[in-house]
Structures are given as structure tokens and as C-alpha cells.
Amino acid sequence: MNYREVTPSREFLARLEHGADWREEIEEFAAREGIESAWFTAMGAVQDAELWYYDQDDTEYRSVSFDEPLEVASCVGNVALLDGEPFAHTHVVLSRRSGQALAGHLNAATVFAGEVHLRSFDEPLEREREDVTDLDLWL
Ligand code: ZN
């Protein structure tokens, strides 16, 4: 296990911009505020979504896209530096009109409306490629 003690530094509530990309909005906000580590939750709705599923055998992400209005029933993520820039690792549970759930690693989604609670920490967090999983994990 790799762990560290962190000190909460700042806390934000943010409303995402209609028509913007869900993850980019969070990353641009983090860059603007100089945030190098954070944890967030969010909720709202998107107009489409591209989810990634990590194939553990092939160690590659598989993309699946949904071109339909979806509720963001739950979204949780964190911000760390990847190649020196804030990267928002974002997971979601999305729901269809029927109530059926879709879930996964969110790469992209067009915001219909979104509300975010983000808490940042004093200690920066960095990601780097890790050999066993071939994922960009925390250092
Ligand atoms: Zn993920």
C-alpha cells in the first residue's frame, strides 16, 4: 500500500458550464486555481458520454459512447498531476430515462448541468506509469 497523510486546504462548490466537457471543466478549474491534488463529488446531467473500461488482460482502455441524455446519478473523482497538468480521474454512474444504470471511467461528456463539490489538499499528488497495471498511478 502506498499512502500519505494530507491536509485539506481549500473547498469549492462549482457549477459546470452548459455545453462544456465535464472532465475538462474540472481540469481547467483546477489549473486556474493552482490545485495539484483534490477529491470531488458531482451530480447533474449530460447530453452524451464516452466511458472507458480498462481491459485488465490486454491492459488497454476500451471506449464505449452513448449519444443520449443521461442523468449523472453519481460522480466521484480526484485531481492529480499527470505530465505536470491537473488530471481529473473521474468515475460516474449514469442513468437512462428508464432508470437503467451505466457506469465507468468517464473520459468525456457534454454538460447539460452539473454541480461539483471539491476539496483540495496542501500536498501535491502526481501520477506516473506503473509497470504491473500499465496505468498512470499515484507516485
Ligand atoms: Zn478510472
Side-chain angles (χ1 to χ4, degrees):
M1 184 188 292
N2 167 340
Y3 72 93
R4 70 212 67 207
E5 184 173 1
V6 292
T7 311
S9 55
R10 303 161 75 195
E11 201 159 348
F12 300 87
L13 295 177
R15 181 170 67 81
L16 302 178
E17 198 66 35
H18 178 84
D21 179 74
W22 188 277
R23 186 166 63 83
E24 280 179 10
E25 275 279 275
I26 296 168
E27 289 173 352
E28 284 170 13
F29 158 72
R32 196 178 315 127
E33 289 294 331
I35 293 167
E36 298 180 328
S37 65
W39 208 273
F40 62 87
T41 57
M43 57 195 284
V46 294
Q47 300 170 62
D48 53 36
E50 181 193 352
L51 303 182
W52 283 5
Y53 175 84
Y54 194 66
D55 186 318
Q56 297 178 18
D57 292 325
D58 295 348
T59 65
E60 276 183 36
Y61 278 105
R62 307 291 178 203
S63 172
V64 56
S65 293
F66 302 93
D67 190 15
E68 59 187 287
L70 298 159
E71 293 285 323
V72 180
S74 181
C75 172
V76 62
N78 57 56
V79 175
L81 297 178
L82 181 63
D83 299 326
E85 300 289 328
F87 168 70
H89 186 198
T90 307
H91 282 206
V92 289
V93 178
L94 303 170
S95 68
R96 289 182 151 148
R97 181 185 295 268
S98 65
Q100 179 191 25
L102 305 163
H105 173 112
L106 182 81
N107 183 51
T110 306
V111 174
F112 184 76
E115 299 171 343
V116 181
H117 172 218
L118 181 144
R119 176 176 291 166
S120 67
F121 306 104
D122 284 339
E123 297 78 8
L125 200 52
E126 284 185 74
R127 289 184 180 278
E128 199 172 78
R129 188 54 53 104
E130 190 268 338
D131 290 337
V132 176
T133 61
D134 206 25
L135 288 168
D136 294 319
L137 300 182
W138 295 344
L139 285 178

